[in-house]
């Protein structure tokens, strides 16, 4: 399941909760995954799935599934960040200050069947060393699939996949930036 197990051993990565089959009417009528119990929980190093083949080769998933990724991100430099997703079917992205109980500072909500679609949310006034908690909920009904998590850092000109060395499994590790 892991592309780079050495990063996970350092505390880098995301928690990935997989729900089979997809939670409720291909996901379109499910309002939340919060009270669902995942069928599997694994670790991953990034959200960068380009096609059905990627989901199948990495996770043996084909259609009718949901995934919740959770991670802590250590902000590498001060400024405004844009967090973007590209998805093919439904997506919910929640960004909170510090941890899962912190105030919501960014969100995307498009929990519906759809082809490949880009969404973004801007988070202002982040400081170097700040920690944000990120939750990316995704569902795949049928047909094509993709899921990407990206960011645009201050001074950059295009979105890029958030690297594994910026994502951490716990708030404590993110605060010290153990990479």
């Amino acid at each position: 399941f892991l592309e780079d197990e050495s990063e996970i051993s350092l505390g880098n990565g995301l928690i990935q909760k997989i729900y089979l089959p997809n939670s409720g009417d291909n996901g379109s009528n499910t309002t939340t995954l919060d009270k669902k119990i995942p069928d599997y929980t694994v670790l991953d190093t990034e959200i960068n799935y380009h096609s059905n083949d990627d989901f199948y080769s990495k996770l043996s998933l084909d259609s009718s599934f949901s995934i919740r990724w959770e991670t802590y991100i250590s902000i590498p430099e001060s400024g405004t960040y844009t967090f973007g997703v590209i998805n093919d079917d439904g997506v919910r992205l929640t960004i909170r200050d510090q941890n899962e109980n912190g105030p919501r500072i960014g969100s995307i909500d498009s929990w519906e069947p759809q082809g490949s679609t880009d969404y973004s949310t801007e988070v202002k006034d982040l400081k170097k060393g700040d920690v944000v908690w990120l939750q990316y909920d995704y569902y795949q009904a049928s047909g094509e699939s993709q899921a990407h998590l990206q960011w645009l850092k201050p001074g950059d000109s295009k979105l890029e996949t958030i690297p594994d060395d910026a994502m951490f499994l716990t708030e404590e590790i993110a605060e010290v930036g153990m990479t």
Side-chain angles (χ1 to χ4, degrees):
F1 288 132
L2 302 176
E3 288 188 24
D4 186 351
E5 291 184 37
S6 65
E7 290 298 322
I8 296 298
S9 70
L10 293 173
N12 293 92
L14 306 104
I15 296 171
Q16 185 177 54
K17 299 174 183 177
I18 301 169
Y19 305 85
L20 303 170
N22 189 321
S23 300
D25 192 22
N26 291 330
S28 58
N29 290 330
T30 301
T31 57
T32 182
L33 295 175
D34 290 342
K35 296 183 181 182
K36 305 289 182 190
I37 297 172
D39 294 283
Y40 303 97
T41 300
V42 296
L43 304 177
D44 204 350
T45 56
E46 64 182 3
I47 303 174
N48 194 23
Y49 295 83
H50 295 275
S51 66
N52 294 14
D53 290 342
D54 283 349
F55 279 104
Y56 193 79
S57 68
K58 294 178 184 178
L59 301 170
S60 298
L61 298 174
D62 187 30
S63 63
S64 191
F65 61 88
S66 299
I67 299 176
R68 169 173 281 174
W69 287 277
E70 296 174 337
T71 191
Y72 293 88
I73 296 177
S74 180
I75 300 301
E77 56 190 273
S78 298
T80 297
Y81 283 72
T82 300
F83 291 87
V85 298
I86 304 170
N87 61 285
D88 183 338
D89 285 321
V91 62
R92 274 202 188 97
L93 180 70
T94 303
I95 304 166
R96 295 186 180 277
D97 188 30
Q98 280 301 119
N99 57 48
E100 63 188 290
N101 298 314
R104 183 181 302 191
I105 57 175
S107 66
I108 296 168
D109 189 352
S110 184
W111 200 251
E112 60 188 340
Q114 57 195 317
S116 179
T117 310
D118 298 39
Y119 296 100
S120 65
T121 184
E122 192 174 85
V123 180
K124 297 181 179 191
D125 300 324
L126 292 174
K127 304 288 185 255
K128 180 178 181 176
D130 282 354
V131 173
V132 298
W133 179 81
L134 187 140
Q135 177 179 288
Y136 184 131
D137 288 351
Y138 169 80
Y139 85 84
Q140 168 59 20
S142 61
E144 293 301 311
S145 60
Q146 68 176 295
H148 303 277
L149 174 62
Q150 303 174 315
W151 66 1
L152 178 69
K153 297 183 301 188
D156 286 354
S157 59
K158 67 177 192 168
L159 290 165
E160 64 180 10
T161 300
I162 298 177
D164 54 8
D165 65 358
M167 296 186 290
F168 299 89
L169 299 174
T170 69
E171 181 180 0
E172 293 78 19
I173 296 171
E175 287 173 348
V176 294
M178 214 174 137
T179 59

